[in-house]
Amino acid sequence: MMLRDILYRVSIEAVKGATDVAVDKIEFDSRLVKGGDVFVAIRGTLSDGHSFIEKALSMGAAAVVCEEMPDETIEGITYIQVKSSSAALAHMAANYYGNPSHNVRLVGITGTNGKTTIASLLYQLFKNAGYKTGLLSTVKILVDTKEYKATHTTPDSLTINKYLKEMEEAGCEYCFMEVSSHGIHQNRTAGLEFAGGVFTNLSHDHLDYHSSFAEYRDVKKRFFDELPKGSFGLVNVDDKNGLIMLQNTKAKKLTYALKTYADYKAQILENQLSGLLLKINEQEVWVKLIGTFNAYNLLAIYATAVNLGLESVEVLRLMSELESVSGRFQFIISDSKVTAIVDYAHTPDALENVLSTIENIRTRNEQLITVVGCGGDRDKTKRPVMAHIASSMSDKAIFTSDNPRSEVPEDIIEDMEKGVEPQNYKKTLAVVDRKQAIKIACQLARPNDIILIAGKGHETYQEIKGERFHFDDMETVKEILDQLNK
């Protein structure tokens, strides 16, 4: 492919050398560069690609895209100076793969909570409706029925376009994609053509990465600012940030809510462990999912499907068949009648939502035991808040390890304990080993009690001191409850 074709729509500040040269592929990791490649020097949070330009050239790079021209340049090598290397990479990736998002109807879901559930259930709904569909999510990547492992909520722009191209070639008509604040901030979604965008909610998260809540909010808003004319922007207006998202968008403005006036309105008629009875725009539907937070998710799914052209009655029928997503309010009931719930809730808002849902469906004749931890090397300010929520809304709260990463687990738990109010101290335990914490919760549980294991959900590993070890909350609690029942 010619370099000049790959550079279409890239904001170029200076060029040294020829652009009418053939290049093999695009790389932003100098270790992967081969002869004839174009190397894009990206400034990352841990390293700066500009430091690896010389390495890329020694590996055979034919061209370099960078924000700063090197002091010394080599004859016969093309150097392209751009304002933003990450934005350039996104446009180059889209061009390299033939702009597949023009031919697959792509919907991005952003917000603090609900992204995975909405994207995954939209995939499920459209598959059940008979469409070939793609999914780019935290849990997995699906090209129709072919599954790939996911490594990031929003992959890098080369990976996104590679999978979108595969979806296009497989005949997928739709793709549902989680869009994280990191992905937006790092321009991973630039160069993509979205048919629609969905905003779920905004709460305390990623403040280890964003300097403030306002910056976190504005990064999310940028996604809607960049939606094209002819697309739709669907936002939850029960969240005070919902309408902010639509302020500067060119997309068709749509709203959904449970509490306020909106284009798409839902009412919870019944909320049980077996499911929800919802009234959506005056039509009733029974679904297998549980809780107010899922009522919001389902309303967003309904509105998205209708705006993508499906008939409303057919959408309701398909919604009634939806199965819950792995690690999102996933529950089992043991032989001894103990209910164990595994949920990904790793933010204060998500934890409060899950505990409120349990509160609404419990009889109060049983005790609620919550096992929860907080991730290491991440936003420390949410630790005491999550401990406060867990200890005040549960009969017993066990603080344990999540993914401690490079931090000392005991230090994380100590940060959490600072949020426990004096009247709740006696309800808390600190158990560093996560398996042991789950075991103690199971040993404390009597028939009809409820155990909530929060924070990791679908994850099948624990990250400790840079190493990943196999660990699955649902697998662990099933195994322990089975052993105790023998």
Side-chain angles (χ1 to χ4, degrees):
M1 196 169 188
M2 300 300 282
L3 178 59
R4 63 167 177 257
D5 297 327
I6 295 174
L7 292 170
Y8 176 62
R9 290 183 303 174
V10 172
S11 183
I12 296 170
E13 299 201 327
V15 177
K16 190 167 186 180
T19 59
D20 58 344
V21 292
V23 292
D24 188 20
K25 64 185 193 308
I26 306 162
E27 290 292 355
F28 60 91
D29 184 336
S30 61
R31 295 166 297 184
L32 303 177
V33 171
K34 290 183 180 166
D37 291 352
V38 52
F39 173 67
V40 184
I42 305 281
R43 292 191 199 280
T45 50
L46 299 174
S47 62
D48 184 351
H50 291 75
S51 306
F52 301 98
I53 290 174
E54 204 173 304
K55 168 87 183 292
L57 292 171
S58 73
M59 301 283 279
V64 172
V65 174
C66 51
E67 292 173 14
E68 277 181 46
M69 283 282 191
D71 294 333
E72 292 180 20
T73 56
I74 300 169
E75 193 68 35
I77 302 292
T78 304
Y79 296 85
I80 312 289
Q81 187 179 354
V82 295
K83 188 176 180 182
S84 165
S85 294
S86 57
L89 176 66
H91 287 291
M92 290 167 71
N95 293 330
Y96 180 80
Y97 284 103
N99 293 290
S101 63
H102 293 188
N103 301 314
V104 178
R105 298 192 75 190
L106 178 63
V107 175
I109 298 100
T110 195
T112 304
N113 302 310
K115 296 187 295 293
T116 302
T117 298
I118 292 171
S120 301
L121 292 181
L122 276 166
Y123 167 85
Q124 200 184 121
L125 188 146
F126 275 77
K127 281 293 294 171
N128 291 347
Y131 295 97
K132 287 192 171 186
T133 309
L135 173 70
L136 291 164
S137 84
T138 304
V139 179
K140 57 190 166 187
I141 292 164
L142 288 162
V143 177
D144 192 28
T145 55
K146 194 172 180 182
E147 185 175 325
Y148 299 91
K149 194 175 179 183
T151 55
H152 294 80
T153 302
T154 307
D156 67 79
S157 44
L158 275 170
T159 304
I160 292 169
N161 281 281
K162 182 185 83 157
Y163 284 122
L164 285 172
K165 184 66 178 177
E166 198 175 319
M167 289 174 199
E168 181 189 12
E169 289 173 346
C172 293
E173 293 180 58
Y174 301 93
C175 174
F176 302 102
M177 173 182 175
E178 287 187 56
V179 178
S180 69
S181 59
H182 292 64
I184 301 164
H185 189 254
Q186 294 168 12
N187 294 307
R188 293 183 219 158
T189 54
L192 299 176
E193 185 176 300
F194 284 91
V198 180
F199 168 76
T200 61
N201 49 63
L202 208 61
S203 67
H204 201 101
D205 200 17
H206 299 309
L207 298 189
D208 55 307
Y209 180 85
H210 301 288
S211 61
S212 66
F213 186 83
E215 187 203 296
Y216 176 46
R217 179 200 65 212
D218 291 345
V219 166
K220 297 282 190 191
K221 180 181 176 293
R222 197 174 100 194
F223 173 66
F224 290 88
D225 292 349
E226 293 169 359
L227 286 176
K229 197 174 178 182
S231 66
F232 65 85
L234 172 70
V235 302
N236 171 12
V237 286
D238 280 345
D239 186 295
K240 62 179 184 292
N241 299 288
L243 290 175
I244 293 172
M245 299 294 141
L246 298 179
Q247 280 175 352
N248 304 107
T249 190
K250 295 184 286 290
K252 181 183 178 184
K253 299 177 181 182
L254 297 168
T255 58
Y256 70 99
L258 264 65
K259 300 172 186 171
T260 52
Y261 175 79
D263 299 307
Y264 297 91
K265 190 94 166 62
Q267 183 184 353
I268 299 171
L269 302 179
E270 286 182 38
N271 183 10
Q272 305 168 14
L273 200 56
S274 55
L276 284 167
L277 179 62
L278 297 175
K279 184 189 271 189
I280 297 178
N281 284 13
E282 301 309 312
Q283 294 176 299
E284 289 186 15
V285 61
W286 175 264
V287 290
K288 299 173 194 172
L289 282 78
I290 304 156
T292 304
F293 63 98
N294 271 324
Y296 280 106
N297 293 337
L298 289 157
L299 186 53
I301 288 161
Y302 173 84
T304 300
V306 168
N307 278 281
L308 288 173
L310 271 60
E311 288 291 328
S312 61
V313 174
E314 175 66 356
V315 173
L316 293 170
R317 184 189 70 77
L318 292 163
M319 281 170 62
S320 69
E321 297 173 355
L322 294 175
E323 300 286 346
S324 65
V325 179
S326 172
R328 267 65 177 178
F329 213 94
Q330 195 178 0
F331 69 91
I332 56 160
I333 301 171
S334 74
D335 292 343
S336 58
K337 302 291 182 244
V338 171
T339 300
I341 300 164
V342 169
D343 194 273
Y344 188 53
H346 62 288
T347 66
D349 190 53
L351 183 62
E352 189 168 358
N353 282 339
V354 172
L355 287 167
S356 295
T357 295
I358 295 168
E359 182 64 27
N360 289 336
I361 57 177
R362 66 184 288 204
T363 64
R364 300 210 61 79
N365 292 320
E366 69 290 281
Q367 65 171 338
L368 167 60
I369 304 164
T370 297
V371 179
V372 65
C374 291
D377 305 329
R378 295 294 185 269
D379 181 6
K380 293 184 179 184
T381 61
K382 68 182 181 185
R383 293 173 185 175
V385 183
M386 289 184 68
H388 165 72
I389 291 165
S391 59
S392 60
M393 296 182 73
S394 314
D395 297 300
K396 180 74 74 180
I398 303 173
F399 303 143
T400 188
S401 299
D402 189 293
N403 290 319
R405 300 183 178 90
S406 71
E407 282 196 69
V408 176
E410 287 87 348
D411 292 348
I412 298 171
I413 292 170
E414 196 176 308
D415 286 344
M416 292 178 71
E417 288 175 330
K418 289 170 186 170
V420 181
E421 293 183 352
Q423 68 270 27
N424 294 322
Y425 275 136
K426 288 187 177 178
K427 295 200 286 178
T428 67
L429 281 174
V431 182
V432 174
D433 182 271
R434 193 172 180 90
K435 184 171 184 178
Q436 190 63 23
I438 293 170
K439 186 175 183 179
I440 289 170
C442 294
Q443 288 169 334
L444 289 172
R446 301 184 299 269
N448 301 315
D449 284 353
I450 300 167
I451 300 168
L452 169 66
I453 305 165
K456 291 179 58 59
H458 64 281
E459 292 178 352
T460 55
Y461 64 86
Q462 254 196 308
E463 194 175 326
I464 304 166
K465 293 182 181 173
E467 273 191 79
R468 286 193 173 189
F469 302 90
H470 177 76
F471 196 93
D472 183 314
D473 281 350
M474 182 55 81
E475 183 185 287
T476 303
V477 74
K478 271 183 185 173
E479 183 186 300
I480 292 167
L481 284 171
D482 284 347
Q483 286 171 355
L484 292 174
N485 287 334
K486 284 176 182 174

